[in-house]
Amino acid sequence: MTALSVSTSSAASLRADALVIGVAKGPKGIVLAPGAEAVSEAFEGKLAEVLTTLGATGAEGEAVKVPSPAGLKAALVLAVGLGEAADGGYGLETLRRAAGVAARTLAGSKKAALALPVESADEVEAVALGGLLGAYSFGTYKGNGSAKEPVGELVLLTARKGSKDAKAAVERALVVGEEMNRARDLVNTAPNDLNPKIFAAIAQAAGKEHGLKVEVLDEKALLKGGFGGLLGVGNGSANPPRLVKVAYTHPKAKASLAFVGKGITYDSGGISLKPAGHNETMKCDMAGAAAVFAAVVSAKRLGLAVNVTAWLALAENMPSGTATRPGDVLKMYGGKTVEVLNTDAEGRLVLADAIVRAGEENPDVIVDVATLTGAMMLALGSRTFGVMANNDELRETLHTVAGEAGEQSWPMPLPAELRKGMTESTIADLANMGERMGGGLVAGLFLKEFVAEGIDWAHLDIAGPAFHEAAPFGYTPKGGTASAVRTLVRFAERTAAGDKA
C-alpha cells in the first residue's frame, strides 16, 4: 500500500517526482489555492497564466501537468482542480477528491508531495485519506508490467505536522484507508477465489492479527442451530454457507453496536436465474459483509470506546438439483417461516437469520448493510445509498453521519401499506417478495420483521455505490468502493463519544 508521511518542508525544497497544488475557478480565470505560493514564486508569478495556456480551468476532477522550473526540487508540478474558488476554505469532500485525482494521475511515481490547502486537522485527514484511496489499485490478476504501480509515497505538506490533532488525523486516515482498501480487495476478488469458507478464514486471520474474537458457524452448526435462511440460500452451491461473528469489546464501552452484512460471494439468482448482462458483476454481492468487517477492524485499530460486533452472513446463491425452489418454505432462525417466491431475493433471507442472531445479544443498535435491491439503484442512482430504520431519529443520524464521512445517502420511508403483500402468503408467516413498486422499501420492511422488540435498527441499501462500473472519479476507482465503511466508523465514533444526535 502507498506510504503516507507528513512534512513541514517548503514545497520548493522537497525532493519528489511530483508536487501537487490546487487550482480553482475564479471570476476572471483560474485561482491558485493556498499551498501553491512557493510554486507560483518559482514560476515568477506566471503559473496561473501557464496553466491557462495548457487548458486548465480549475474544474473539479481536472489534472494538468507542468514541468518544474528552476527553484523547485520536484521534477513535475501537477495542478488539480478544486471547483469554484472559496474564500472560506474548501470542503472536505472536495479535498478528498482532489487528493484522489492526484494519486491516480501519479500512478507509477515513487514519491509525490501534496501542497493542497490544509489548515485544520479535518483537512489534513481529508487529504491524507483521499490520497490513500485514490492510490488504490487491484492488480491480483494482472501480469507483471501490465499496469502501473500505485504511487509509492505521498508526503502531506502542512504546518501542523507536530500538533497532536494533526497526528491523530493522519493515523485515522491510515486506518480507515487501509481497511477500506481491504474491503475493496474483497469485493474485487474473483468469486472462484472468495467463497464463504475462504471469506471466513480471512476474517479469522484478521481477528488473530488485531485481537478480535472471531466465531464461525459452518454448515453443520447452521443446521443444528436452525439457520434456515442461510442454509436455504446456500443449498444450491458446492460451497456451503457460513455465519461469522467478529467481535470487538472495549473495557470502557457504554454502548454496543451490531453491524450485519450481506455476504453473497456470488449471486447467480439461483433457480430464478439472472439473465446475461445482470450477473457479470455479482461477485460484488458480498460488499455489505466486506463493509461491516472493515468497520469492526477499524473500530479496534482506532481503540473506540464502544463494543462493535460484525455479523457476516456468507453464502453463494447457485442453481442446482439441491437449490431452493420458488414455492419452497424456509424455517428461519428464530422460528418464522418464509415462502420463497423468488430465489433472487436471497439477500434478505441470509440477513434475516443474522439480524435475529445479532438481536439475541441485545445491542443498542443494529445496522445492516447490503447490496440488496436494484429498486434502490433505480430510485437513487449509482452513487447514493438508501437509509431506512424503525426509528426516525436513528435514520436521520445515519444520514447526517454519512454526510460527515463524505458518503452520499438519502433517508427512505418504510410505508406500512407495503407490508401487506409480504404477509398474504397462504402457507407461511411471510413471503420473500411483496409489491413490485417500491421494491427497495419492501425489502426493508421484510428485514424489519426480524428485529427484536426494543432494539433500534437501520438498513443501508448500498446496491448503487458499492461497485463502480464507470470511469474512476476523485478517489473512487472502477470496481469495489468500500461503500458504507466510513459511515459505520463515524457512527461508532459518535456512539463512543455519547453523541446520538
Side-chain angles (χ1 to χ4, degrees):
M1 183 174 175
T2 299
L4 178 67
S5 61
V6 180
S7 175
T8 55
S9 299
S10 72
S13 64
L14 189 71
R15 292 187 182 276
D17 296 305
L19 177 61
V20 180
I21 62 169
V23 295
K25 299 171 68 173
K28 296 182 180 180
I30 67 169
V31 176
L32 302 181
E37 295 83 1
V39 182
S40 179
E41 184 178 337
F43 276 87
E44 298 180 347
K46 295 182 179 181
L47 178 55
E49 182 181 338
V50 170
L51 290 170
T52 300
T53 301
L54 292 173
T57 66
E60 241 186 88
E62 187 177 77
V64 177
K65 296 178 179 179
V66 186
S68 293
L72 295 181
K73 296 293 180 67
L76 180 77
V77 173
L78 176 67
V80 292
L82 299 172
E84 297 294 332
D87 293 334
Y90 295 88
L92 299 180
E93 182 64 4
T94 296
L95 294 175
R96 284 188 205 99
R97 292 189 181 188
V101 168
R104 282 194 295 106
T105 303
L106 296 172
S109 303
K110 292 183 179 180
K111 183 178 181 179
L114 302 176
L116 293 170
V118 292
E119 293 185 6
S120 69
D122 286 343
E123 290 168 339
V124 169
E125 182 188 333
V127 171
L129 181 58
L132 290 173
L133 296 177
Y136 173 81
S137 175
F138 184 74
T140 299
Y141 304 107
K142 294 280 190 179
N144 291 333
S146 63
K148 290 182 179 180
E149 290 293 318
V151 58
E153 181 184 2
L154 294 173
V155 182
L156 179 58
L157 301 182
T158 173
R160 300 181 62 86
K161 177 184 177 183
S163 67
K164 186 176 179 180
D165 57 351
K167 181 180 179 181
V170 172
E171 289 175 351
R172 184 185 187 279
L174 275 169
V175 169
V176 176
E178 287 176 358
E179 294 310 321
M180 285 182 67
N181 286 339
R182 184 207 296 267
R184 289 171 166 184
D185 281 348
L186 287 167
V187 174
N188 289 328
T189 298
N192 56 316
D193 288 330
L194 188 72
N195 59 42
K197 182 179 179 180
I198 295 172
F199 199 152
I202 291 171
Q204 287 174 314
K208 186 175 182 179
E209 178 185 359
H210 296 292
L212 296 160
K213 185 178 180 181
V214 180
E215 298 176 16
V216 178
L217 297 185
D218 63 12
E219 66 273 27
K220 293 180 180 179
L222 292 172
L223 181 61
K224 183 177 180 180
F227 290 85
L230 276 156
L231 291 167
V233 173
N235 270 349
S237 174
N239 299 304
R242 297 285 188 272
L243 179 62
V244 181
K245 174 186 176 184
V246 185
Y248 160 62
T249 57
H250 191 282
K252 296 183 180 179
K254 295 181 179 179
S256 62
L257 303 175
F259 295 156
V260 178
K262 173 187 173 183
I264 304 299
T265 57
Y266 182 75
D267 181 19
S268 70
I271 297 298
S272 305
L273 193 67
K274 294 178 185 289
H278 292 78
N279 56 16
E280 292 81 359
T281 61
M282 282 298 101
K283 65 181 182 179
C284 78
D285 216 18
M286 37 58 67
V292 302
F293 174 44
V296 71
V297 177
S298 295
K300 172 62 170 68
R301 293 180 62 187
L302 293 170
L304 303 184
V306 59
N307 295 334
V308 182
T309 302
W311 298 87
L312 284 55
L314 307 176
E316 189 174 64
N317 188 24
M318 298 291 286
S320 74
T322 59
T324 293
R325 298 159 290 246
D328 284 354
V329 174
L330 303 177
K331 186 174 182 180
M332 310 294 285
Y333 184 71
K336 282 189 171 70
T337 56
V338 175
E339 181 182 9
V340 178
L341 300 181
N342 187 328
T343 64
D344 196 23
E346 84 299 329
R348 63 199 71 183
L349 299 175
V350 301
L351 284 173
D353 273 0
I355 287 171
V356 175
R357 177 64 188 89
E360 289 180 338
E361 301 197 353
N362 297 311
D364 294 286
V365 178
I366 295 175
V367 181
D368 77 71
V369 184
T371 48
L372 204 60
T373 65
M376 196 58 61
M377 291 182 68
L378 291 173
L380 298 178
S382 61
R383 296 190 184 183
T384 304
F385 61 76
V387 184
M388 287 156 265
N390 63 358
N391 177 303
D392 291 345
E393 184 180 358
L394 175 60
R395 183 184 62 216
E396 293 305 316
T397 293
L398 284 166
H399 174 51
T400 299
V401 163
E404 291 176 356
E407 298 199 86
Q408 294 174 219
S409 71
W410 196 252
M412 302 292 283
L414 290 173
E417 66 272 15
L418 292 181
R419 181 178 178 272
K420 184 179 179 182
M422 296 185 301
T423 58
E424 290 182 337
S425 170
T426 58
I427 60 172
D429 298 323
L430 294 168
N432 77 326
M433 296 291 288
E435 291 188 27
R436 182 170 177 269
M437 299 301 175
L441 311 183
V442 170
L445 285 163
F446 180 90
L447 296 177
K448 183 182 176 184
E449 295 288 323
F450 295 86
V451 179
E453 190 74 26
I455 295 179
D456 288 340
W457 157 84
H459 163 55
L460 310 184
D461 190 337
I462 61 171
F467 196 82
H468 184 61
E469 296 186 66
F473 69 95
Y475 51 79
T476 301
K478 290 194 73 168
T481 64
S483 177
V485 173
R486 284 177 289 165
T487 297
L488 295 177
V489 173
R490 183 71 186 116
F491 181 60
E493 287 173 327
R494 287 183 57 159
T495 303
D499 181 7
K500 296 182 180 180

